[in-house]
Amino acid sequence: MIIEEFQDVNQLHYTRAVILETLRLYPPAPMTTRTSEKSMELHGHVFAKGTAMFVPIWSIQRDARNFPRPTKVRPDRWVRRCDSGSGWEERPQDDDNNDTSNSNSVPPANTDAFCVFAAGARNCVGRKLAMQEAVTLLALLLRKLQFQLIDETYRVQPTLTSVVQQPAEGLPMIITPRKY
């Protein structure tokens, strides 16, 4: 496949924000576990070394304390309009340009609560490659194809298949080549 005139994937800020927001709402692995390597105290509770801990990714990323309006798809959590108004840029977590007078605005994403790829020393070694692949693929698909839901009332209902999830009913849509 020849990709003609495809711009740098690092410039596709809004496309990346759509991928991040989708992963926030529908993480492939909705939970994980970790074992503590040393004793620790968390919120007044002491956990001994070797304690198995459950990390509920789905719940963390849908908690309104971490992501206001948690069930809404809001790519603008991750990006903002450039000052010039001609494009998008990554939105810093301490973005003070959030228009709180606008009831439609949303605070920046809490990147500390985004744990699809885990964090720290045990994060996913393939996260950067996975994001580049996802952004590139989505951009190419949207450039070449049109997607139309067969049933406008369709809502994604994820179901677990082993440790990952997928849509229970599939994705009922018609995909056609884009006409230029």
Side-chain angles (χ1 to χ4, degrees):
M1 174 182 193
I2 297 173
I3 304 170
E4 66 278 350
E5 300 175 27
F6 189 68
Q7 68 187 59
D8 183 9
V9 69
N10 295 323
Q11 299 302 310
L12 298 174
H13 300 292
Y14 195 85
T15 306
R16 183 176 186 277
V18 169
I19 297 289
L20 289 170
E21 190 65 355
T22 302
L23 288 171
R24 183 189 68 79
L25 280 168
Y26 301 103
M31 63 189 144
T32 190
T33 59
R34 293 289 184 264
T35 303
S36 63
E37 294 181 348
K38 59 184 178 180
S39 296
M40 61 184 276
E41 182 180 340
L42 183 64
H43 299 290
H45 300 281
V46 176
F47 297 93
K49 176 183 177 180
T51 301
M53 303 205 179
F54 172 74
V55 182
I57 297 169
W58 177 279
S59 298
I60 292 168
Q61 294 182 170
R62 287 176 174 250
D63 188 318
R65 294 171 294 183
N66 297 323
F67 298 96
R69 299 188 197 138
T71 60
K72 300 292 182 196
V73 177
R74 298 297 303 261
D76 56 329
R77 295 177 203 277
W78 307 94
V79 292
R80 65 179 177 198
R81 282 268 183 208
C82 294
D83 289 337
S84 65
S86 63
W88 297 89
E89 63 186 2
E90 190 174 327
R91 189 172 178 190
Q93 195 167 345
D94 63 350
D95 185 3
D96 59 1
N97 292 334
N98 184 39
D99 183 4
T100 55
S101 66
N102 180 351
S103 63
N104 196 33
S105 69
V106 65
N110 179 351
T111 55
D112 292 336
F114 183 75
C115 43
V116 168
F117 297 110
R122 297 188 180 228
N123 67 12
C124 175
V125 296
R127 73 185 187 286
K128 286 186 179 190
L129 177 61
M131 283 301 298
Q132 275 200 313
E133 285 179 333
V135 170
T136 302
L137 184 59
L138 180 59
L140 287 171
L141 289 173
L142 291 176
R143 182 176 184 187
K144 299 287 186 182
L145 303 171
Q146 288 182 325
F147 299 83
Q148 180 181 0
L149 282 174
I150 293 173
D151 178 4
E152 296 296 326
T153 63
Y154 173 79
R155 296 291 176 258
V156 175
Q157 295 297 321
T159 185
L160 282 177
T161 57
S162 69
V163 293
V164 297
Q165 57 182 344
Q166 67 181 30
E169 308 279 325
L171 294 173
M173 59 177 63
I174 298 170
I175 304 171
T176 56
R178 195 171 282 281
K179 296 176 183 163
Y180 294 98

